[in-house]
């Protein structure tokens, strides 16, 4: 698998060495939203199917729902974002990630866009 996968809802996913997947919003989504001022994260150890609402982000421009990109269980949320939502804008792959999931089916990542196909999608 490539390092990152992307969804049409402008989320990126990164498979971690310990088998979980880290999820956050893409740079494109951040540019559309503007500076985040609030992040509402779901509870840990909740299972979702793809498309379920997993978080809400609010910015100076608008609010947006973050959908679960693939079926799985949220095993960790980024508590830093509750007090510092702007961290998602400042360092998305570092301290700005939203949540980590344990996949119901690891092969489901194969159906998501690669970095190149996402770049074409947003252009």
């Amino acid at each position: 698998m490539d390092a990152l996968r992307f969804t049409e809802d402008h989320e990126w996913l990164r498979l971690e060495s310990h088998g979980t997947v880290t999820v956050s919003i893409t740079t494109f989504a951040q540019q559309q939203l503007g500076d985040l001022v609030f992040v509402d994260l779901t509870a840990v150890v909740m299972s979702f199917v793809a498309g379920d609402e997993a978080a809400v982000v609010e910015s100076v421009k608008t609010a947006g729902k973050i959908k679960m990109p693939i079926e799985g269980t949220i095993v960790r949320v980024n508590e830093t974002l509750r007090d510092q939502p702007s961290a998602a804008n400042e360092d998305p792959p570092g301290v700005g990630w939203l949540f980590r999931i344990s996949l119901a089916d690891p092969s489901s990542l194969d159906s998501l866009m690669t970095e190149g196909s996402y770049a074409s999608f947003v252009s």
Side-chain angles (χ1 to χ4, degrees), residues 45-104:
V45 193
M46 287 190 66
S47 296
F48 295 91
V49 297
D52 284 351
E53 182 180 319
V56 174
V57 294
E58 292 182 20
S59 72
V60 293
K61 295 181 181 178
T62 188
K65 296 176 183 177
I66 305 300
K67 295 179 183 176
M68 189 71 158
I70 48 183
E71 185 175 354
T73 301
I74 294 181
V75 294
R76 189 168 174 202
V77 296
N78 187 350
E79 295 293 340
T80 299
L81 297 181
R82 294 188 196 278
D83 295 327
Q84 298 174 321
S86 62
N89 294 106
E90 295 162 6
D91 185 17
V95 296
W97 56 275
L98 295 174
F99 51 88
R100 292 197 172 119
I101 57 179
S102 173
L103 300 175

Side-chain angles (χ1 to χ4, degrees), residues 1-50:
M1 179 180 133
D2 292 340
L4 293 174
R5 292 293 178 152
F6 297 84
T7 71
E8 291 183 0
D9 292 319
H10 307 289
E11 299 153 347
W12 60 258
L13 294 82
R14 179 178 61 220
L15 182 62
E16 304 294 344
S17 59
H18 44 78
T20 62
V21 173
T22 299
V23 179
S24 195
I25 57 176
T26 65
T27 301
F28 178 84
Q30 291 176 25
Q31 291 169 346
Q32 300 302 304
L33 289 168
D35 292 335
L36 296 183
V37 295
F38 178 76
V39 176
D40 182 21
L41 300 166
T42 190
V44 175
V45 193
M46 287 190 66
S47 296
F48 295 91
V49 297

